[in-house]
Amino acid sequence: MEAQEAEHLLNHLGIPDPFSSRYSPRGIFCTRTLNLRSISAIGYDMDYTLMHYNVAVIRGLVIDKEKGNLVKADRFGYVKRAMHGTTMLSTQTLSEMYGRELVDLRKESRWEFLNTLFSVSEAVAYMQLVDRLDEGAIATDLGPLDYKGLYKAVGKALFRAHVEGQLKSEIMSKPELFVEPDPELPLALLDQKEAGKKLLLITNSDYHYTEKMMQHSFNRFLPNDMTWRDLFDIVIVSARKPEFFQMAHPMYEVVTGEGLMRPCFKANSGGVYSGGSAQMVEKSLGIQGDEILYVGDHIYTDVSQSKVHLRWRTALICRELEEEYSALVHSRGHRTTLIELINQKELVGDLFNQLRLALQRRSKGRPAQTLAATHMDDKELNESIQKLLIVMQRLDNKIGPMMESDGELFNKRWGFLSRAGLWDKSHLMRQIEKYADIYTSRVSNFLHYTPFMYFRAQEQTLAHDSYSFHHPNHQDADEEQ
């Protein structure tokens, strides 16, 4: 009764309950239970985490540097879709090329996982140049190149553009052309700060870029002449992640607006620093491990490394989730029809197999599994088998194109971000579940919750489960609870 009263009060205040927030494109999804009350400090990455750039792409694919292919794998590493250069490969070619191979991300010399939106631009350039290489149109001054050498050349060219500052100076000159503003984001951080959380900014970007871009993205949305600097207890630029989480580097304090630095050994509240290490941050704050939540967009650099080396709690930002969620909702009818057809084929296929077994037993002079099958004559058995073959072929003709088009509402070539095929999770989703305690589309989604939220992981179903709390037959029981 008291729980019901609380629910009525939430409704009266016009606040959605936390469970309804979970079922929305802007929800925060939990893979490992996380109590925000036990979090003392929250660290944030900047690019694609606190700041989103205008992009229209998909991450989670893998480059095969040996074959010049871009592939999508399921959670076990089996390749489900692939393209060579800019041409999608047929199912048969896929089977011939990858039938005996698994994607193994530990073999870095061959596989490159596109786990950030930064890496996608590299893949786009590379796949177009694979076409050029196949045509013999790559400049001879680069020397004889195979697909692996070509990937290295593309990486060098993009790295040079970053290091020389061409890209960043263009973005800084007109940030409004590149950055998608989010007025709710600074307010979400303000709630966390006022709730007593120490906020940290830990970015690989340099001081001048960080200052300019944070000023553009935050200051106009903060109250009472606050600036972005007032939100953060510690700001660390040029952090050199993932090394930042793995080893100690010298730390420098930024002491002037022009970016002049001096060596230091401890970070103080309100300071801006360059370099250093995660251990230095823990020492300066007097907290460590699972008291710190780190929020970033990079599965490896941000999430897995802070989790593996320091046992920090982790949150992954994946903007594509919003579009994916909507596409999944709009695909429900398509998927329901597809599953019905697959179930029909399974039923027909089972009958076909039973009749086939009856024929097999008969040829050995043994009775069929049932009296009715034993009494069928050879002609009747063979005719039934032929009819069932025709029905299965018709079902296949319907199922095939529907399987091919599954997920095209999200991405016409690659399907859903989180799925690989109808039933299984993608390789990216497996990485997210493994390393991210919670994941969501943008940092401002925290505004729909409180800084004291208890995120509870959902029930994990197993293949042999006989009972599910979400089964339609148990709907009444759910409502009573």
Side-chain angles (χ1 to χ4, degrees), residues 246-291:
Q246 300 165 350
M247 58 186 77
H249 282 295
M251 185 163 71
Y252 301 88
E253 185 179 7
V254 180
V255 290
T256 69
E258 288 73 43
L260 188 71
M261 302 182 196
R262 66 179 174 209
C264 65
F265 301 99
K266 189 181 177 187
N268 295 310
S269 183
V272 178
Y273 302 90
S274 176
S277 67
Q279 289 89 341
M280 283 182 176
V281 168
E282 289 183 335
K283 192 177 175 185
S284 299
L285 295 173
I287 53 178
Q288 61 181 3
D290 61 7
E291 292 178 87

Side-chain angles (χ1 to χ4, degrees), residues 82-346:
M83 68 191 296
H84 178 76
T86 57
T87 307
M88 293 302 289
L89 299 179
S90 68
T91 307
Q92 188 180 340
T93 308
L94 198 68
S95 178
E96 290 167 2
M97 198 174 280
Y98 293 109
R100 294 174 181 271
E101 284 193 286
L102 292 178
V103 171
D104 184 355
L105 298 180
R106 289 170 299 183
K107 295 179 180 173
E108 293 177 9
S109 61
R110 177 171 181 185
W111 307 103
E112 192 71 31
F113 188 33
L114 309 180
N115 50 16
T116 73
L117 294 175
F118 274 121
S119 61
V120 173
S121 56
E122 193 169 8
V124 170
Y126 176 62
M127 299 319 289
Q128 290 179 77
L129 284 164
V130 164
D131 285 344
R132 305 284 286 161
L133 183 63
D134 290 345
E135 293 161 8
I138 297 284
T140 51
D141 59 344
L142 283 171
L145 284 177
D146 57 7
Y147 296 125
K148 201 176 274 191
L150 179 65
Y151 181 80
K152 201 172 180 181
V154 170
K156 274 185 181 176
L158 284 172
F159 179 75
R160 200 159 53 243
H162 270 292
V163 168
E164 290 170 5
Q166 294 164 278
L167 292 176
K168 289 192 170 179
S169 60
E170 195 172 329
I171 294 168
M172 281 194 286
S173 67
K174 289 183 179 175
E176 64 281 357
L177 291 181
F178 301 96
V179 176
E180 194 180 293
D182 188 346
E184 292 182 333
L185 197 153
L187 303 178
L189 267 60
L190 194 57
D191 275 349
Q192 293 171 355
K193 185 177 179 64
E194 290 171 348
K197 315 290 184 194
K198 293 183 185 297
L199 300 187
L200 322 168
L201 176 62
I202 305 171
T203 174
N204 281 357
S205 289
D206 60 58
Y207 170 73
H208 294 290
Y209 186 77
T210 302
E211 173 65 45
K212 175 74 177 177
M213 301 309 287
M214 289 295 288
Q215 192 178 321
H216 170 79
S217 302
F218 274 67
N219 289 7
R220 56 194 158 141
F221 302 124
L222 286 166
N224 309 325
D225 297 324
M226 275 185 80
T227 72
W228 72 273
R229 288 281 299 276
D230 298 320
L231 283 174
F232 295 94
D233 286 75
I234 296 173
V235 173
I236 296 176
V237 300
S238 304
R240 294 173 67 179
K241 295 176 291 181
E243 289 180 18
F244 180 83
F245 297 115
Q246 300 165 350
M247 58 186 77
H249 282 295
M251 185 163 71
Y252 301 88
E253 185 179 7
V254 180
V255 290
T256 69
E258 288 73 43
L260 188 71
M261 302 182 196
R262 66 179 174 209
C264 65
F265 301 99
K266 189 181 177 187
N268 295 310
S269 183
V272 178
Y273 302 90
S274 176
S277 67
Q279 289 89 341
M280 283 182 176
V281 168
E282 289 183 335
K283 192 177 175 185
S284 299
L285 295 173
I287 53 178
Q288 61 181 3
D290 61 7
E291 292 178 87
I292 304 172
L293 172 68
Y294 191 68
V295 186
D297 71 293
H298 196 306
I299 270 286
Y300 178 72
T301 299
D302 294 324
V303 176
S304 79
Q305 294 305 292
S306 56
K307 166 74 71 186
V308 169
H309 291 281
L310 301 154
R311 291 290 181 264
W312 287 8
R313 305 307 302 269
T314 51
L316 183 83
I317 301 301
C318 182
R319 180 60 71 97
E320 304 99 299
L321 277 173
E322 291 176 23
E323 199 180 329
E324 162 115 336
Y325 191 98
S326 300
L328 280 166
V329 169
H330 287 104
S331 299
R332 276 178 187 161
H334 173 94
R335 294 191 131 219
T336 301
T337 305
L338 182 51
I339 288 165
E340 281 173 6
L341 288 170
I342 289 169
N343 289 340
Q344 284 173 26
K345 192 194 167 188
E346 225 171 69

